[in-house]
Amino acid sequence: MVATPIGNLRDITLRALDVLKSADIIAAEDTRNTSHLLGHFGISAKLVALHEHNERVAAPKIIAALHEGKTVALVSDAGTPGISDPGAILVDAVRAAGLPVIPLPGPNAAICALSAAGWDEPHFLFYGFLPAKSSGRRKELEALRELPYILAFYEAPHRIVETVEDLFRILGGDRNITFARELTKLFESIHSCKLADALAWLQGDPNRQRGEFVLLVSGATVAVEEGISAEAQRILQLLLAELPLKQAVKLAAEISGEKKNALYDMALQLK
Ligand code: SAM
């Protein structure tokens, strides 16, 4: 399992180059893409395709080659294979056949983004891609809403706006979001703001919506002192955006069942 660069080709590891040079076969998610990478490093190798549509069919052929004593390197288009990329089915089949699987660590977009986010949090949850359709996306976000960990998402440029809209709608405006865009590439940019301001920032310049994204969103904070649940905070925030403070607090108390006084104090802080 050979991790490859997520943009900057100089991020390839020495070990990855050794293995790619010496492998009998390189199984690649997109052989054209990998030819470009190999060409850059002067490596010629036998490439076979292994992608999400043929992984089950390709796996037995690769296992047969391994049984013949050949070495097979697996790469994806970018980053670490098996992480929001094909590879897991092959790995499982190879191990089940009693053969070793050796991981070579290297680039990964989520870890790269987290390392530069500057959030002093011990835990994160790698989520990868949310569903493409808004209904599915909102449902999955609802299941994540109460988790007190940084959430790490992958997103494509054509869905970035609608995903950020759903993040705001489901998680509320008070959380921090970091947009880590085009990491290791020419137009790398890292921007942090509140979810409440995220859409306006994205729409402030069309270039901000281009390229590949990792989105990091801070986890649910349960206001321990007040004993207010994350869900009640979210309701309060949504109502505060539309209504005068007293009315928002009254309604939030009715909807959530939380104490009015505690919600009132929180509303003052939020305002
Ligand atoms: N296996 C890869 C890894 O280890 O990070 C992830 C592959 S996944 C199919 C591709 C997604 O990863 C992109 O849509 C984007 O969300 C994220 N990604 C990949 N390269 C990136 C980069 N240079 N900057 C920001 N995000 C990136």
Side-chain angles (χ1 to χ4, degrees):
M1 304 295 284
V2 183
T4 58
I6 56 169
N8 189 325
L9 295 184
R10 293 181 66 76
D11 289 334
I12 193 118
T13 68
L14 295 174
R15 196 169 165 217
L17 287 177
D18 288 345
V19 168
L20 293 174
K21 272 182 205 151
S22 65
D24 297 304
I25 298 169
I26 298 179
E29 186 181 4
D30 179 333
T31 52
R32 269 195 316 182
N33 188 54
T34 300
S35 303
H36 175 71
L37 175 81
L38 297 177
H40 182 85
F41 292 107
I43 300 172
S44 52
K46 193 177 167 212
L47 278 164
V48 299
L50 185 131
H51 44 71
E52 59 174 330
H53 304 296
N54 80 341
E55 195 169 350
R56 279 179 205 285
V57 182
K61 295 180 193 160
I62 289 174
I63 290 169
L66 291 169
H67 276 306
E68 285 170 22
K70 293 194 169 133
T71 55
V72 181
L74 176 74
V75 298
S76 63
D77 272 355
T80 304
I83 307 297
S84 294
D85 262 343
I89 293 170
L90 176 68
V91 166
D92 189 45
V94 169
R95 280 244 174 70
L99 294 159
V101 176
I102 303 168
L104 270 68
N108 167 259
I111 297 295
C112 186
L114 280 158
S115 74
W119 292 355
D120 189 19
E121 295 284 337
H123 309 295
F124 69 89
L125 182 116
F126 172 70
Y127 202 78
F129 289 101
L130 286 158
K133 283 196 183 150
S134 186
S135 54
R137 192 160 53 224
R138 287 182 191 184
K139 207 166 155 209
E140 290 190 16
L141 283 173
E142 270 161 21
L144 299 174
R145 192 161 57 203
E146 304 284 330
L147 298 178
Y149 320 117
I150 295 173
L151 304 171
F153 300 105
Y154 284 165
E155 195 47 280
H158 60 280
R159 273 198 290 272
I160 189 71
V161 166
E162 42 181 290
T163 292
V164 167
E165 278 170 350
D166 283 344
L167 286 169
F168 171 65
R169 185 180 290 262
I170 306 298
L171 304 180
D174 201 40
R175 297 196 194 200
N176 298 313
I177 179 167
T178 291
F179 294 89
R181 190 174 73 88
E182 294 287 271
L183 292 167
T184 78
K185 301 189 205 177
L186 188 60
F187 294 109
E188 175 178 280
S189 75
I190 300 174
H191 174 79
S192 299
C193 60
K194 290 279 176 202
L195 258 180
D197 303 322
L199 191 60
W201 180 80
L202 259 187
Q203 291 175 331
D205 179 347
N207 286 327
R208 294 177 186 159
Q209 300 165 32
R210 298 212 171 104
E212 299 193 276
F213 289 88
V214 178
L215 300 176
L216 302 176
V217 180
S218 54
T221 48
V222 179
V224 180
E225 278 172 355
E226 295 90 348
I228 294 174
S229 70
E231 174 62 0
Q233 283 184 54
R234 191 182 76 90
I235 293 169
L236 180 61
Q237 252 167 8
L238 288 175
L239 293 172
L240 277 173
E242 304 291 335
L243 299 170
L245 190 136
K246 272 193 177 171
Q247 215 179 334
V249 168
K250 184 170 174 283
L251 273 175
E254 276 170 27
I255 296 168
S256 68
E258 299 280 359
K259 289 205 179 85
K260 225 199 261 176
N261 285 353
L263 285 169
Y264 189 81
D265 288 345
M266 172 150 287
L268 289 177
Q269 280 176 37
L270 289 171
K271 274 279 177 191

